[in-house]
Amino acid sequence: MMRASGTRIELAAPEQCMGCGACYASCGFGAISMVPDAKGFYRPDVNAERCRDCGACAFACPAVGAATQKTEPLATLAAWDKDADDRAKATSGGAFMLVADAVLARGGWVCGAVMGQDMVVRHVVTRDREVVDDMRGSKYVQSDVSEAIAECLAHLQGGEEVLFTGVSCQVDAMRRVAGSRYADSLLLVDVLCHGAPSPRFWRAYLDYREWEEGDEIIGARFRKKEPSWTVFSLELTFKTEHRLRAWCTVEDLYLRAFLGDYITQEVCHECPYVGTGRVSDITLADFWGYVSETRRNRNTEEGISLVLANTPKGKSVVELLTGLHTIKKSLSEAVKGNGPLRSAFPANPKEEEFWSAFDVGGIEAVKGYLVPVRFSWKHRLSLFFNDHAYLLPVALRELLIDMRANE
Ligand SMILES: Cc1cc2nc3c(=O)[nH]c(=O)nc-3n(C[C@H](O)[C@H](O)[C@H](O)COP(=O)(O)OP(=O)(O)OC[C@H]3O[C@@H](n4cnc5c(N)ncnc54)[C@H](O)[C@@H]3O)c2cc1C
């Protein structure tokens, strides 16, 4: 535990802190600010003169307070937005926007992550659909959530409905700050998380690309689904006539650093939110390992959401989404394809060495660590099988699925 100097308050130790902002949002005395640590992750800084030692921050902190009760999903679905244009704008199947639209239609507020013009990722709270539109798509950078949690709380206290979305630790922070008082008006949706990447590394990467291209970056989009959903990519927009340039996993330094587990928070490697026990009403993810059982439902590489309805409230929200095409699946099928439903991603063994090199020489100094991720032929064959399994007779399909499960 970390004791703030001059106070008796004990918050999470640096290696346990998730930067979820629960402490910041729960402080009634403005004694906590969120500041970047050496790797750029958001961390609380307690002002001893303002602190009254009330303990609200430690109570809200998911790392040092009592653990949040988790629930096992009531329903597991593969799903996608029936509107092809909307589905194309999302990272997975577009379930998020349909949930958000349902809340907006009832006059509620929506909270989610947007990337500002300064290329910083922050959570914002809005009823403006254009702003909610900017929440679409995963931004693989840790988001600054602290102000947004307090704003959501104010709306809840005013008797209004709020949809809060974010990675699991942020959703737990919102839940803990709100307590059980607003269970009817607060809808919690978490996106399954590989780990939160460093905002400092993100900025350094952008500076590097700006230097390389001799142009300013004014926009970024992860995983545009070109050429397809399963090929990870990053597209940057440069200022001169909104020029676009895209890189895929094999050639992009940032994606390689992220997927190589060099730049996520230390605590993410021991994430307490992995597994099938969830802290939200609904969990959204990519349905990796989706097997198409009929031609109509085959994987067209346009994105498939995994939707876990974790509470009766979450289940009824999902059931009312008429724009969502859903297919019932088993939880074990979802778990098989999706790492965070089983365990946390371990740190890269060279993570510390990587950061030491980066501190001295920046992006240029860590290029040697960022070797391309290439899929094996076995992995490619498995993807091909998933997409075309519906063509095989049921008995043969089941045999092959069993064989893969027993590997
Ligand atoms: C850092 C990160 C890691 C992820 N890792 C995995 C993974 O390992 N496996 C997996 O299956 N899915 C992962 N996801 C989730 C996945 O990428 C999709 O976000 C999710 O499936 C929802 O997709 P959608 O099509 O329903 O809607 P989309 O429109 O794609 O989803 C947008 C939603 O993501 C939220 N969001 C976007 N960026 C951030 C951010 N930086 N911090 C917090 N919330 C954000 C928005 O608030 C909104 O709720 C991750 C997402 C993030 C942000």
Side-chain angles (χ1 to χ4, degrees):
M1 290 199 201
M2 189 175 66
R3 182 166 292 208
S5 58
T7 76
R8 284 179 286 117
I9 291 302
E10 287 183 342
L11 289 172
E15 68 279 7
Q16 283 182 314
C17 180
M18 297 171 242
C20 69
C23 54
Y24 174 90
S26 62
C27 178
F29 305 104
I32 298 180
S33 39
M34 297 299 284
V35 295
D37 71 4
K39 291 180 181 171
F41 295 112
Y42 301 106
R43 297 287 178 253
D45 183 37
V46 183
N47 178 326
E49 279 172 21
R50 288 192 179 175
C51 177
R52 307 279 170 86
D53 271 335
C54 71
C57 54
F59 184 75
C61 173
V64 298
T68 306
Q69 202 178 348
K70 296 177 180 171
T71 50
E72 290 289 320
L74 303 173
T76 304
L77 303 167
W80 54 84
D81 193 325
K82 291 176 189 168
D83 183 304
D85 291 339
D86 281 337
R87 185 179 178 188
K89 290 178 193 162
T91 304
S92 312
F96 157 71
M97 197 64 195
L98 289 164
V99 177
D101 272 339
V103 173
L104 289 175
R106 293 194 292 267
W109 295 85
V110 178
C111 178
V114 301
M115 190 173 290
Q117 283 181 339
D118 54 2
M119 308 303 291
V120 172
V121 181
R122 297 181 185 85
H123 266 62
V124 296
V125 190
T126 186
R127 279 203 287 216
D128 179 344
R129 196 178 189 279
E130 272 186 36
V131 179
V132 178
D133 216 38
D134 291 339
M135 293 176 192
R136 289 194 221 230
S138 294
K139 295 99 191 159
Y140 294 118
V141 185
Q142 188 191 34
S143 165
D144 180 358
V145 73
S146 38
E147 298 286 351
I149 293 181
E151 206 180 324
C152 287
L153 187 62
H155 291 308
L156 292 167
Q157 285 163 343
E160 294 175 296
E161 184 182 0
V162 171
L163 162 64
F164 184 92
T165 68
V167 293
S168 311
C169 54
Q170 296 167 339
V171 165
D172 194 21
M174 179 74 242
R175 177 173 161 171
R176 296 172 73 94
V177 170
S180 55
R181 288 160 292 176
Y182 309 107
D184 291 340
S185 45
L186 175 60
L187 180 64
L188 296 169
V189 174
D190 69 327
V191 294
L192 217 59
C193 181
H194 181 114
S198 152
R200 178 181 161 216
F201 189 84
W202 171 239
R203 186 60 253 175
Y205 166 82
L206 295 173
D207 290 343
Y208 184 80
R209 287 291 189 211
E210 288 184 340
W211 165 77
E212 218 179 33
E213 300 284 316
D215 202 350
E216 191 185 331
I217 293 167
I218 55 166
R221 179 163 175 198
F222 290 90
R223 298 183 55 197
K224 197 179 172 185
K225 301 180 180 172
E226 285 178 11
S228 70
W229 171 54
T230 42
V231 176
F232 277 47
S233 65
L234 171 54
E235 180 186 81
L236 299 176
T237 310
F238 289 89
K239 193 169 183 179
T240 311
E241 292 168 10
H242 285 235
R243 187 170 57 91
L244 297 177
R245 265 214 69 184
W247 292 264
C248 70
T249 321
V250 175
E251 55 194 9
D252 185 64
L253 298 168
Y254 188 80
L255 291 175
R256 270 149 53 186
F258 172 44
L259 298 172
D261 295 301
Y262 286 108
I263 56 167
T264 48
Q265 303 190 94
E266 205 173 336
V267 68
C268 297
H269 304 305
E270 287 176 18
C271 174
Y273 302 100
V274 293
T276 53
R278 312 304 308 158
V279 292
S280 63
D281 295 302
I282 300 169
T283 298
L284 300 178
D286 291 288
F287 205 127
W288 299 130
Y290 168 82
V291 177
S292 46
E293 274 133 18
T294 61
R295 184 181 292 274
R296 176 170 177 256
N297 288 333
R298 72 191 188 279
N299 178 6
T300 51
E301 282 290 342
E302 285 155 43
I304 298 169
S305 285
L306 165 64
V307 179
L308 301 177
N310 306 319
T311 61
K313 181 164 70 165
K315 193 161 177 270
S316 60
V317 168
V318 173
E319 281 166 358
L320 289 173
L321 299 177
T322 50
L324 193 67
H325 178 75
T326 57
I327 305 153
K328 279 191 186 149
K329 290 281 181 183
S330 69
L331 184 58
S332 58
E333 197 175 338
V335 170
K336 208 172 351 153
N338 215 315
L341 288 177
R342 298 190 301 271
S343 55
F345 289 88
N348 189 300
K350 294 190 174 162
E351 185 185 341
E352 282 314 313
E353 199 184 300
F354 174 94
W355 276 100
S356 304
F358 176 71
D359 283 340
V360 176
I363 297 282
E364 201 63 58
V366 293
K367 273 179 154 179
Y369 294 86
L370 305 176
V371 287
V373 179
R374 290 190 195 280
F375 291 130
S376 66
W377 66 266
K378 219 172 148 189
H379 180 76
R380 286 166 194 271
L381 208 64
S382 170
L383 289 180
F384 181 81
F385 168 68
N386 289 350
D387 296 347
H388 297 88
Y390 68 94
L391 293 171
L392 303 173
V394 174
L396 183 57
R397 191 194 312 160
E398 284 175 355
L399 179 75
L400 287 171
I401 289 172
D402 278 353
M403 276 170 57
R404 289 191 328 156
N406 293 329
E407 264 172 18

